[in-house]
C-alpha cells in the first residue's frame, strides 16, 4: 500500500465518515444543505468543445459537445444519495472525459429529495435517454454511473423495459460501486464483514439513504434491489467494486442476475480498494481501475454513429 493511500485511510477513519453517513436522512439533508442549493453549473471553455445547457423535466443537463462531430456520447450519472447536485469539479471533469473517450459528454442535474424520489430520477434519465436517441444510435450511447448514480444507471435498464416503449438499449454501461439494498442472507453475511473495512458506508447508512431516496413513497422493487432487475436486451455491462466496500457484497448476485438476462458482464473487484475508486483515483492503486474504465468506454464506436435529423 502506498504512503498516500495509508495516510488517506487514516484521515478518513479519523473523521469517521461511516458515522456521518449513518445519520438519519433528514440530518444528512442538513449536512449537505439539500433543498437550499441550486444546480451550480460552472462556465467551461475548451478550444475543441462547445458547452450548452438544456432541460429535461425542468431539470438542467450540461452538454459538452465536440466541435468536430464525434460518433458517440456518454451520460455521466453522478452519485450523492439524492442529497446534492454534481459539484463544479465534476462538471469540469466532463472536459477531460470528452477528450479521453472521444465522445460528447452529458451531465444531468437530476432531482433531489425531499421533494422528489427515486422514480422521479429514473423518469428524468429515461426522458434524457430518449432525447439522445434522436441524435445518436443506441449502440453509440454509453452510460457512466458511480455510487447511487450507479444504482440509477443500472436500474434504468429495468426502467426502460418496464416502460414498454421498446427503446433500444445503450451500447455500453459502466458503473463504479452501484448502490443497492441487500436481499439475501449471503449478501448480509458478506456485508457484515465489509462493514469493518468500508471507509464510508455501513449497513445502517445503506438502509438510511435508500429509505431517504424513496421519500416515503412506493417505488418499483428494481430501483432498490438491482439484483431483481429485468435487463433483457442489454448486451454488455462493466461492474466495478472496491474489494473493501460494502456494496461488493451484492456483486456476485447482481452479476448472476444480469447473466440470467443474457448480458455479458465484466466484473472488476479491486483488492483492498475503496468505494468508487475507479472514478475517484486519488491514489496510485486506483489508477488501473480508472484506465480500465476509460478503455472500456472509448472502444468500439460504430462508424455510423451520428444520426442526421
Amino acid at each position: 500500500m502506498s504512503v498516500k493511500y495509508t495516510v488517506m485511510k487514516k484521515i478518513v477513519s479519523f473523521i469517521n465518515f461511516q458515522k456521518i453517513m449513518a445519520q438519519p436522512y433528514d440530518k444528512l439533508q442538513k449536512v449537505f444543505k439539500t433543498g437550499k442549493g441550486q444546480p451550480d453549473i460552472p462556465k467551461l471553455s475548451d478550444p475543441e468543445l462547445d458547452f450548452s445547457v438544456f432541460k429535461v423535466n425542468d431539470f438542467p443537463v450540461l452538454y459538452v459537445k465536440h466541435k468536430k462531430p464525434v460518433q458517440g456520447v456518454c451520460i455521466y450519472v453522478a452519485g450523492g444519495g439524492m442529497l446534492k447536485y454534481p459539484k463544479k469539479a465534476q462538471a469540469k471533469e466532463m472536459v477531460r472525459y470528452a477528450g479521453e473517450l472521444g465522445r460528447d459528454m452529458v451531465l444531468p442535474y437530476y432531482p433531489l429529495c425531499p421533494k422528489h424520489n427515486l422514480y422521479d430520477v429514473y423518469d428524468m434519465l429515461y426522458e434524457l435517454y430518449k432525447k439522445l436517441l434522436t441524435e445518436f444510435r443506441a449502440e453509440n450511447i454509453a452510460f457512466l454511473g458511480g455510487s447511487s448514480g450507479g444504482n440509477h444507471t443500472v436500474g434504468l435498464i429495468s426502467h426502460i423495459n418496464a416502460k414498454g416503449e421498446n427503446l433500444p438499449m445503450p451500447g455500453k454501461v459502466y458503473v463504479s460501486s452501484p448502490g443497492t439494498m441487500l436481499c439475501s442472507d449471503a449478501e448480509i453475511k458478506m456485508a457484515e464483514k465489509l462493514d469493518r473495512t468500508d471507509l464510508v458506508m455501513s449497513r445502517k447508512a445503506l438502509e438510511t439513504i435508500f429509505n431517504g431516496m424513496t421519500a416515503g413513497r412506493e417505488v418499483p422493487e428494481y430501483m432498490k434491489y438491482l439484483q431483481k432487475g429485468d435487463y433483457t436486451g442489454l448486451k454488455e455491462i462493466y461492474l466495478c467494486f472496491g474489494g473493501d466496500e460494502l456494496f461488493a457484497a451484492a456483486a456476485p448476485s447482481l452479476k448472476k442476475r444480469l447473466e440470467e438476462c443474457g448480458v455479458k458482464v465484466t466484473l472488476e473487484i479491486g483488492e483492498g480498494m475503496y468505494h468508487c475508486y475507479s472514478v475517484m483515483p486519488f491514489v496510485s492503486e486506483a489508477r488501473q481501475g480508472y484506465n480500465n474504465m476509460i478503455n472500456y468506454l472509448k472502444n468500439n464506436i460504430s462508424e455510423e454513429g451520428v444520426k442526421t435529423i
Side-chain angles (χ1 to χ4, degrees):
M1 186 184 300
S2 66
V3 173
K4 184 176 181 179
Y5 193 14
T6 301
V7 172
M8 186 186 83
K9 291 182 76 170
K10 287 182 178 180
I11 292 173
V12 174
S13 296
F14 178 77
I15 295 172
N16 201 347
F17 272 104
Q18 270 196 338
K19 184 177 180 180
I20 293 172
M21 297 307 295
Q23 294 180 90
Y25 198 73
D26 59 343
K27 290 189 176 181
L28 284 175
Q29 290 177 30
K30 292 179 181 178
V31 171
F32 289 98
K33 299 180 180 179
T34 309
K36 294 183 179 180
Q38 296 295 321
D40 189 3
I41 305 175
K43 290 185 178 181
L44 302 172
S45 63
D46 188 277
E48 297 181 356
L49 301 169
D50 288 323
F51 303 90
S52 62
V53 176
F54 61 89
K55 287 194 174 183
V56 174
N57 293 1
D58 292 326
F59 286 88
V61 178
L62 172 64
Y63 197 176
V64 178
K65 194 174 184 65
H66 288 262
K67 291 181 177 179
K68 294 182 179 179
V70 294
Q71 299 169 341
V73 65
C74 181
I75 304 167
Y76 178 42
V77 187
M82 292 183 64
L83 291 162
K84 58 186 180 68
Y85 292 113
K87 298 178 181 178
K88 286 184 177 181
Q90 289 174 302
K92 293 176 182 178
E93 283 180 340
M94 298 305 100
V95 174
R96 186 183 75 245
Y97 282 140
E100 292 187 321
L101 300 181
R103 295 179 183 264
D104 293 338
M105 294 298 301
V106 173
L107 178 65
Y109 290 71
Y110 55 75
L112 306 181
C113 288
K115 293 183 180 179
H116 301 276
N117 70 355
L118 272 173
Y119 195 94
D120 299 322
V121 176
Y122 277 65
D123 242 16
M124 183 214 177
L125 294 176
Y126 181 81
E127 293 301 323
L128 171 59
Y129 180 57
K130 284 180 68 174
K131 176 178 174 59
L132 291 176
L133 282 171
T134 67
E135 300 181 48
F136 297 89
R137 299 182 187 278
E139 61 266 30
N140 293 328
I141 298 177
F143 275 87
L144 165 59
S147 193
S148 59
N151 165 275
H152 310 331
T153 299
V154 178
L156 181 62
I157 304 304
S158 295
H159 199 56
I160 291 171
N161 282 324
K163 285 284 191 178
E165 293 185 335
N166 296 316
L167 296 187
M169 292 295 178
K172 285 183 177 290
V173 175
Y174 180 100
V175 286
S176 181
S177 304
T180 182
M181 294 286 283
L182 307 174
C183 63
S184 72
D185 291 340
E187 291 175 2
I188 292 171
K189 186 176 180 180
M190 177 60 71
E192 288 173 349
K193 295 180 181 179
L194 294 170
D195 241 334
R196 298 191 291 268
T197 57
D198 196 314
L199 296 173
V200 178
M201 290 297 293
S202 63
R203 288 181 60 200
K204 183 179 180 180
L206 172 62
E207 294 176 4
T208 296
I209 290 174
F210 265 90
N211 288 335
M213 289 195 298
T214 65
R217 305 167 203 167
E218 289 296 323
V219 297
E221 188 176 57
Y222 61 78
M223 295 184 183
K224 296 189 291 183
Y225 302 99
L226 298 181
Q227 310 92 311
K228 299 183 179 183
D230 176 10
Y231 305 108
T232 306
L234 183 65
K235 291 184 178 180
E236 61 178 88
I237 190 170
Y238 196 119
L239 305 175
C240 180
F241 294 89
D244 281 0
E245 71 163 317
L246 186 78
F247 291 145
S253 51
L254 176 56
K255 180 177 184 288
K256 179 181 178 182
R257 179 57 186 158
L258 284 156
E259 290 175 339
E260 288 173 349
C261 294
V263 184
K264 178 184 176 183
V265 181
T266 301
L267 174 59
E268 174 183 330
I269 299 181
E271 183 178 356
M273 297 309 298
Y274 52 88
H275 179 69
C276 282
Y277 71 93
S278 61
V279 295
M280 297 188 295
F282 299 137
V283 297
S284 59
E285 291 90 337
R287 196 67 198 178
Q288 186 59 56
Y290 178 84
N291 292 339
N292 292 342
M293 175 185 73
I294 295 299
N295 289 333
Y296 173 75
L297 288 172
K298 74 179 181 181
N299 289 339
N300 302 323
I301 298 178
S302 167
E303 290 298 321
E304 299 180 351
V306 181
K307 283 188 175 181
T308 56
I309 57 174

